[in-house]
Amino acid sequence: MGGTRQLNLQSFILTPNELSTALAKNVPTKISTAPRIIPLCAAWFLPNDPQGRTGQRVFEEKRIPTARFFDLDAVKDHASPYPHMLPSAETFAKAMQDIGIRKDDEVVVYDTQELGIFSAPRVAWTLQVFGHPGVHLLNNFRLWVEQGYPTESGKFEAVVEEPSHYPTPTLDAARVVAFSEMKEIASDHGKEGSEGVQVLDARSKGRWAGTDPEPRPGLPSGHIPGSISVPVSELLDPHTGALLPGEELRRLFESKGVDPERPIVSSCGTGVTAAVVDAALGEAGFGQPEARRLYDGSWTEWAQRVSEADGLIRKKV
């Protein structure tokens, strides 16, 4: 069999019907080397989840047939003191090899039925910054289940028949904001002649304002100077947990005073739900893709490396 690409997934955001139709038209065989459509489960729960749920457990209980599992807690920079910093290119490539994904596969990342859109955008963004060419986001697995599309269960180890050969990629550093640049952006906020970078914060309004505590002990709440509160809950349908339609998202960003002509950096607690904001900006057609970036360390790094005393942690009075 040849490696001719016959797939037809045009948009980044896919509905359950679009994914189901594509999977039905592209059934892989063991002898084929043609590009495949691979559902990729990005299930992740907070460490203090009250029900003790884990991503791997819910993946094994219910998943899209042929799906693989991407473990956010495993595929990261383990040398960093911050929870979800991007892994090295070698670590990323090894993870893709271990779950049997090839470079020419079209990957459709999805979340849990329980939480709706949450961690899948972070995994999709990770694949994109490491240059994977075919990346999509399912909107969403809860709707997939509710609309009666098939699911399967079984152990994680049974999914991957054999490792893939995935070449070591190059990180697209232009899409990632490091602490030093973030500090410069915050310090320049409001100064005449500054670039006017907008920082969108996905945490809850209370955490952004400094009136609610952070979930991590000892970490102060508040916000980066000049940042705009865009709680991730406002980007999602309250019943389905799916991203709102593009036009609704556009109106929401406009109502918060976000300027599509200026650069945008998304941030959150640990860099996970910042990617939901980034995905929402893309779905809304808001801002140029090359002018949208993500602050990898987000609030967990920021609040440990700056202080209120130096004016870099603000609270809403």
Side-chain angles (χ1 to χ4, degrees):
M1 289 288 191
T4 304
R5 182 176 288 272
Q6 300 175 336
L7 312 181
N8 190 31
L9 297 176
Q10 298 297 328
S11 59
F12 174 61
I13 305 286
L14 300 178
T15 66
N17 181 60
E18 287 170 331
L19 175 58
S20 176
T21 300
L23 287 170
K25 291 180 178 178
N26 294 275
V27 179
T29 65
K30 290 186 177 181
I31 61 171
S32 174
T33 59
R36 306 166 297 175
I37 296 174
I38 303 290
L40 181 60
C41 178
W44 180 73
F45 294 87
L46 291 169
N48 59 350
D49 181 69
Q51 299 177 43
R53 296 170 295 189
T54 66
Q56 183 169 326
R57 184 195 302 174
V58 300
F59 170 80
E60 292 178 345
E61 289 172 352
K62 185 182 294 183
R63 61 174 177 263
I64 296 173
T66 73
R68 315 298 166 88
F69 176 65
F70 190 100
D71 189 346
L72 259 179
D73 284 329
V75 190
K76 63 179 184 179
D77 180 0
H78 288 274
S80 172
Y82 313 114
H84 291 115
M85 302 294 275
L86 282 167
S88 67
E90 293 76 13
T91 297
F92 174 80
K94 178 66 164 56
M96 298 295 271
Q97 291 166 9
D98 289 346
I99 57 179
I101 291 180
R102 303 192 295 248
K103 187 69 179 275
D104 63 355
D105 287 333
E106 295 277 345
V107 178
V108 182
V109 191
Y110 72 93
D111 262 300
T112 66
Q113 180 183 357
E114 293 85 350
L115 299 181
I117 294 290
F118 179 52
S119 51
R122 169 70 189 202
V123 172
W125 177 82
T126 299
L127 267 64
Q128 289 175 328
V129 298
F130 279 114
H132 192 88
V135 183
H136 310 272
L137 179 69
L138 178 64
N139 195 26
N140 62 11
F141 185 53
R142 184 183 297 174
L143 288 174
W144 175 277
V145 173
E146 290 179 354
Q147 293 171 9
Y149 293 103
T151 61
E152 66 179 13
S153 60
K155 286 295 183 183
F156 170 75
E157 294 79 10
V159 177
V160 182
E161 293 180 352
E162 61 181 12
S164 67
H165 171 71
Y166 198 97
T168 302
T170 300
L171 173 71
D172 183 1
R175 297 188 61 176
V176 187
V177 177
F179 171 76
S180 57
E181 185 183 357
M182 195 70 242
K183 188 174 182 181
E184 186 176 326
I185 291 169
S187 300
D188 286 347
H189 171 68
K191 291 181 180 178
E192 187 176 351
S194 65
E195 188 181 4
V197 177
Q198 303 164 106
V199 180
L200 308 189
D201 191 327
R203 294 174 303 147
S204 69
K205 186 65 177 288
R207 289 166 64 189
W208 176 89
T211 56
D212 291 344
E214 289 293 312
R216 291 162 187 80
L219 204 65
S221 57
H223 60 269
I224 296 168
S227 65
I228 300 169
S229 176
V230 185
V232 71
S233 59
E234 295 182 12
L235 306 174
L236 307 178
D237 183 287
H239 304 292
T240 65
L243 270 179
L244 294 171
E247 190 52 45
E248 287 186 45
L249 292 168
R250 172 172 278 274
R251 288 196 297 268
L252 184 143
F253 289 124
E254 288 173 344
S255 73
K256 293 180 178 291
V258 183
D259 183 350
E261 301 303 318
R262 291 163 52 199
I264 297 171
V265 174
S266 298
S267 182
C268 61
T270 66
V272 174
T273 57
V276 180
V277 175
D278 188 69
L281 288 164
E283 181 68 356
F286 207 87
Q288 297 302 313
E290 63 273 12
R292 299 198 314 262
R293 299 183 294 159
L294 192 147
Y295 174 28
D296 198 22
S298 282
W299 188 255
T300 301
E301 178 182 44
W302 186 259
Q304 291 183 63
R305 299 186 68 175
V306 302
S307 68
E308 262 189 275
D310 56 25
L312 293 176
I313 292 180
R314 301 285 176 85
K315 298 180 185 291
K316 188 72 171 179
V317 180

